[in-house]
Amino acid sequence: DTIVHGDTSIEPLTVALRLAHSTGAPPDRILRILSNILTFHTRWQGSVAGRPSEEELNALFEEGRNLLPLVTDDVTIARFRVAEAFLPFWISAGGRAPTEAELAEADASAQEALTLATRHDETNLQSAALDGIGGNAQQRGDYALMTGTARRRLELGDRLELSERIDAACMVVWAAATTGDLDLAAITCEATFRQIQPGQASNWALHLAAWWTVTAALQGNWDEVQRIASRAY
């Protein structure tokens, strides 16, 4: 199960990037490191306390784009495109609404990542690309598309890492609770929690428990609110 903590990962990845530059590492290796750093900043920005400036982040993306013509591995390219797909999410968290052009570029990156990941049967990467598409749909207020992409992720089943499965469920519940489909939100929470053993993916499970608590509150089911809040605690 993948553990995502940007603050404890970006520092060693930055050291690795510096060493890759100084030792003349091949472009594929440099882009893999860059993609990891960028994905922490964009997709998993909640795990990163130190937010870079837009200029600093764009400089990293520019380096990656300059490497792309030299990279031969499709999966490495797909990982970089996934990081690009979440750029509107990162922009909106900084207080600026992404432009339609920025959303369109991010969608194109996500679609390319999805195509490459599907070609190579990289299911977790497929899920990440679909998450990018869903996140951009959310930026536009298209919760039907957000729900659809998240449910496609869940259809990948146990071929996904547990963290990806839980995250996909959170996106279904987020969209469903926002649009008032509380039955779908509650069913998704309950079905996903059946797959989580004690001690597994606790940070991801806490996110889903928070949404389940909100869902139960919106349903007026206060006994359920107490039960899930106690589990979260």
Side-chain angles (χ1 to χ4, degrees):
D1 183 26
T2 300
I3 299 175
V4 176
H5 293 294
D7 285 334
T8 56
S9 300
I10 287 177
E11 183 177 351
L13 283 168
T14 301
V15 172
L17 182 62
R18 186 168 62 248
L19 290 171
H21 284 150
S22 64
T23 58
D28 291 63
R29 185 179 304 167
I30 295 174
L31 190 62
R32 281 196 296 272
I33 298 169
L34 261 176
S35 298
N36 281 329
I37 293 172
L38 288 166
T39 300
F40 278 119
H41 281 306
T42 58
R43 189 183 187 198
W44 307 125
Q45 60 184 290
S47 69
V48 181
R51 179 182 170 89
S53 69
E54 195 162 341
E55 183 180 11
E56 290 169 333
L57 194 71
N58 284 337
L60 291 174
F61 272 116
E62 189 63 24
E63 180 181 355
R65 292 177 187 122
N66 288 336
L67 286 169
L68 280 174
L70 307 173
V71 171
T72 58
D73 180 60
D74 280 351
V75 174
T76 298
I77 294 170
R79 293 189 185 283
F80 180 75
R81 293 306 193 197
V82 162
E84 286 184 319
F86 287 91
L87 189 51
F89 176 52
W90 182 87
I91 290 170
S92 66
R96 174 173 78 79
T99 67
E100 185 53 45
E102 288 169 332
L103 285 165
E105 289 173 4
D107 278 339
S109 293
Q111 290 290 351
E112 182 181 350
L114 181 59
T115 298
L116 293 172
T118 302
R119 181 184 302 162
H120 293 277
D121 199 30
E122 291 278 347
T123 52
N124 290 299
L125 202 51
Q126 290 176 51
S127 176
L130 287 166
D131 192 28
I133 295 168
N136 293 329
Q138 184 185 29
Q139 295 290 328
R140 296 184 174 98
D142 187 349
Y143 284 91
L145 179 56
M146 179 185 175
T147 303
T149 55
R151 295 182 83 169
R152 282 178 64 187
R153 294 171 67 196
L154 286 178
E155 288 169 3
L156 293 168
D158 59 11
R159 297 179 67 204
L160 291 179
E161 293 176 349
L162 183 58
S163 57
E164 279 289 338
R165 275 182 277 157
I166 298 173
D167 183 70
C170 287
M171 296 305 102
V172 171
V173 177
W174 189 341
T178 301
T179 57
D181 192 347
L182 301 179
D183 288 342
L184 174 60
I187 289 168
T188 303
C189 287
E190 187 173 359
T192 306
F193 262 104
R194 288 198 204 104
Q195 304 172 40
I196 305 171
Q197 299 301 312
Q200 280 189 315
S202 57
N203 53 338
W204 304 96
L206 183 60
H207 186 196
L208 185 59
W211 274 113
W212 199 355
T213 305
V214 169
T215 299
L218 291 171
Q219 291 176 314
N221 189 342
W222 304 110
D223 288 341
E224 187 80 327
V225 168
Q226 182 61 47
R227 183 178 73 86
I228 301 304
S230 296
R231 180 166 184 173
Y233 176 78

